[in-house]
Amino acid sequence: MAPVKTGYSNRSGVVTDKHIKFYQARSKYIGAVIPEPFYIDKGLREIPTQMGIDNDDKIDGLLKLTTVIHQFNTKVIAHLNHPGRMANPKIPENYFWSSTDKACENGGASPKKMDKNDIQHAINLFTNATKRAEKSGFDIIELQFGHGYLVAQFISPKVNNRTDEYGGNFENRIKFPLQILEAVKSATNLPIIIRISGDEMLTDGIKIDEMIKFSKILKEKGVEAIHVSAGTVCNTPPWYFQHMFVPKSKTWEFAKKIKQEVGIPTIFVGQINTEEDINNLFNNFKADYIALGRALIADPDFVGKYTKQINGTIRPCLACSDGCLGGVKSGHGLGCLVNPLVGSENEKLEKASVKQNIAVIGGGLSGSEAALTLHKRGHKVTLFEKDKIGGQFRLAYLPPKKDSLKKLIDYYENILSENNINIINIEATANDLKDFDRLILATGSIPAYPPIKNLKEYFWAEILKDKNLPENKTILVIGGGLIGTEIAHKLVQKNNKVILVEMLDEIARGMEMIEKTLTLKNLQASENIKIYTKTKVTEIDDNKVFVDTENGQEILTGVDIVVLSTGMKSFNPLEKELKNKIPTYVIGDAKKVGKAQDAIKDAYETVKNI
C-alpha cells in the first residue's frame, strides 16, 4: 500500500484507533503497508492531523500499529518526509526551509535558504526518525526524495538556485540527499527504499535521465529499491495526486526505464485501480512490486479479490481525488466517493434479525447502494428504476477527461446483477408499492428553475449526451457552478461559442481542487467562451438575452441554445402519499441535493440498521 494521508490524528500526531482500524482493514492480502507520511518535526506538518514520528512519545502508538499489521504477516514501511517550503503555512508552529528562498509558484510561505547548520539539522531529523521507526517495529525505511518536497527542492534545477557546494551541477544537487542516505544507513540496519519523482513533468524540473543516473548511485550506496512516482506538489499536483486528468501509464514508463537501466527493484505506482492494470504491469512492464494507494481506499479487499482469495467485484477507485483529497483538505479526514465505510472500518454490517420485503425506488447511486446494502443484510429487495442504473451520474462522465467515472455505474450494474437483485424497469406508482414492508425513496432531483421571463426552451446537463450535443452553435449556459462549468468546458471543445453567466463572483464552486484548476486553465485559454460573473439573466426574447451586470443591463444576441444549470431540487413525489401507510425512508438527492459521495454515504447510513 502506497502512503496516503488520512488526517485521522488528533493534532498531537499520535496513532489513533481510527488509524489502527483503517490499516487493519487493508493489510490482509498484501505484502507491505506504507502508512501515511510521518512528520519528523512538529513544525513541518502538511496537515494539522498528520501522524508524527518526531518524538519518543509517538513510539507506543506506532508499535501498536505495526503489531496489528504484522498479524497478517505483512511488512510495515516507515515513510519519512521533510516538506521544506511545502510545510503548511496555515499551521502556526510551522517553519519553512529550502534550497532556495523562493516560495512555491502555486502559493505558500517564503522559505529560508538553508545554511550548513540547517542542512545538518534536517539530516539529524531523518536519522532520529529512523531510530524511532526501528524501535516502533517497522521493517523498512522509505525516504521521500521526490514530489517537490525538501530533498527534491535540492535535486531540482528549477528550484535549486544555490551557488555553493549544494547547487549548480547534478553532483552538487544530489549531495544533500546522499548525506541523508549515509546518515540514515549509519543509524539503522533496516532496508532502505527511496521514493522519487521519475519526472517532475516540468520543462526545467527533474527529468528521467537524471533520475536514472541518480538511481544508479543509490544502488551503489546500498538502497534496496526505488519507488517511482511523478510530479511535484508545488507545480504539477495532478501528477503528484495521479488525478484522472493525467494519463495513468506515464509513471509506469519511468519505473520501467529505471528498472531496465539500473537493474534495481522498482516499485510501480500511480492510478493502478483495475485488474487490467495489474495484469498489464506484470505482463508488459515486468513490474517487481506494485503499490496501490487510493484503490485500497475504495476497496480494502482489492488485492484479495484480484488474487481470488475472496470472491466479489472490486469497488472501483475513480481517480477523482474528491473524497480522499477533498476530505483531508477540508479537515474531515480521509473519505471516499465510492466507499461509505472509509473512516468507519470498525463498523460491521450485521444481518437483519427480521427479513423484510423492501422496495427501493430509483436506481441512481443512492438507490443502488441502498439495494445492495439491504441485500447484504438478508432482506428481499426489489429495485424500481424507470430507465438505467446510475441515474444522473450517467451524465457525470461525459465532460472532458472524466471517463473514469463510468466505472462506478458499471460496478453497480454488475454487482446488482451478480447478487440477483430484482430490478423492475418502470416508474413506480403508489399502487406498485402497496404490498412491501418498507420503502426506500431514492428518486433523486430535478433542475431548479430561476424566475427568468420567457424561459421556455432549454436544455440542462442532458445536453452532454451524444444525441443532444451541438457543434458550431452559440450557447448560453445559465449558472456557473460545478455542473455549469463542466457543461461549458465540454461545449467549448465541440467548437461552440459559449456564454457562461453566473450570479456570484466566481465560477466552478464546489469543484474538486485539481479539476477546478485544470478546467479553468483550459477555459481561460479558449477564445470561444465569455464568462460573466455577478450577472443575472432576467429575460429571453427569441435569440436575445437580457442580463443585469454590475455595470447595468446588457443584451446578448445571437444565442442559439439555452442551457440551464442553476442547481437542482429534490424530487420526491411519493413520500406524501405513502409515508402514513408504509414505513418510508427518503435518501440521497431526494432528501437533500448533494454530491455523489453524499448520496452513497446517506444510503448506506440510512439502511444499515433497517
Side-chain angles (χ1 to χ4, degrees), residues 429-435 577-578:
T429 65
N431 191 56
D432 296 318
L433 306 172
K434 64 181 187 303
D435 295 328
E577 189 174 355
L578 292 168

Side-chain angles (χ1 to χ4, degrees), residues 203-481:
T203 53
D204 50 355
I206 292 171
K207 308 305 289 184
I208 184 61
D209 289 344
E210 280 196 342
M211 286 299 94
I212 291 170
K213 191 175 173 182
F214 184 44
S215 297
K216 289 178 179 178
I217 295 169
L218 294 175
K219 181 185 177 184
E220 291 171 5
K221 299 288 185 182
V223 166
E224 302 288 350
I226 308 291
H227 190 171
V228 185
S229 187
T232 157
V233 68
C234 173
N235 302 93
T236 50
W239 288 96
Y240 167 78
F241 290 109
Q242 284 297 296
H243 189 269
M244 61 184 170
F245 277 22
V246 302
K248 70 162 59 183
S249 63
K250 195 68 178 176
T251 57
W252 311 347
E253 292 169 10
F254 299 144
K256 184 178 181 181
K257 284 185 178 180
I258 288 173
K259 172 182 164 60
Q260 288 176 335
E261 298 199 30
V262 180
I264 191 171
T266 55
I267 301 170
F268 289 69
V269 72
Q271 278 194 75
I272 304 168
N273 49 33
T274 67
E275 294 184 78
E276 292 75 20
D277 291 339
I278 303 280
N279 293 336
N280 186 14
L281 284 165
F282 281 139
N283 297 331
N284 299 320
F285 286 81
K286 309 302 179 187
D288 300 301
Y289 299 95
I290 291 172
L292 305 175
R294 288 168 173 80
L296 285 170
I297 299 169
D299 192 334
D301 295 328
F302 180 106
V303 177
K305 291 174 181 177
Y306 172 79
T307 56
K308 309 305 180 190
Q309 295 176 69
I310 55 172
N311 295 322
T313 299
I314 293 171
R315 192 179 281 254
C317 170
L318 310 181
C320 63
S321 295
D322 205 359
C324 45
L325 174 60
V328 172
K329 289 278 186 184
S330 67
H332 293 109
L334 185 72
C336 182
L337 188 154
V338 305
N339 183 355
L341 273 174
V342 173
S344 303
E345 280 80 8
N346 56 338
E347 283 189 17
K348 203 169 185 180
L349 194 64
E350 303 287 348
K351 288 287 186 181
S353 55
V354 178
K355 181 178 178 181
Q356 299 181 66
N357 186 19
I358 301 177
V360 177
I361 299 88
L365 299 186
S366 61
S368 296
E369 182 64 31
L372 179 62
T373 304
L374 289 166
H375 175 79
K376 287 179 180 177
R377 298 195 59 235
H379 294 297
K380 181 182 178 184
V381 181
T382 301
L383 176 59
F384 289 88
E385 169 50 54
K386 66 179 180 179
D387 191 6
K388 295 179 180 178
I389 294 300
Q392 290 177 28
F393 201 73
R394 299 191 77 89
L395 303 174
Y397 64 85
L398 298 179
K401 296 187 176 181
K402 301 193 78 172
D403 297 5
S404 72
L405 300 187
K406 187 177 183 297
K407 290 190 290 187
L408 185 56
I409 295 169
D410 296 339
Y411 165 76
Y412 279 122
E413 286 180 334
N414 291 336
I415 201 162
L416 292 172
S417 175
E418 285 174 13
N419 285 279
N420 296 312
I421 292 172
N422 184 26
I423 300 175
I424 299 178
N425 291 118
I426 63 169
E427 184 170 359
T429 65
N431 191 56
D432 296 318
L433 306 172
K434 64 181 187 303
D435 295 328
F436 289 92
D437 299 322
R438 293 178 188 262
L439 305 177
I440 311 296
L441 301 182
T443 43
S445 58
I446 56 176
Y449 308 106
I452 298 173
K453 187 176 179 181
N454 295 329
L455 176 64
K456 295 172 185 174
E457 294 185 12
Y458 63 89
F459 283 93
W460 59 295
E462 286 196 328
I463 197 169
L464 298 178
K465 290 183 176 179
D466 286 342
K467 66 178 182 180
N468 299 329
L469 195 60
E471 294 188 43
N472 303 307
K473 300 288 186 182
T474 298
I475 303 172
L476 171 70
V477 179
I478 306 174

Side-chain angles (χ1 to χ4, degrees), residues 7-25:
Y8 289 162
S9 196
N10 57 8
R11 294 180 178 264
S12 70
V14 299
V15 172
T16 64
D17 184 60
K18 205 168 183 178
H19 287 126
I20 298 286
K21 298 295 184 184
F22 176 83
Y23 288 109
Q24 185 177 34

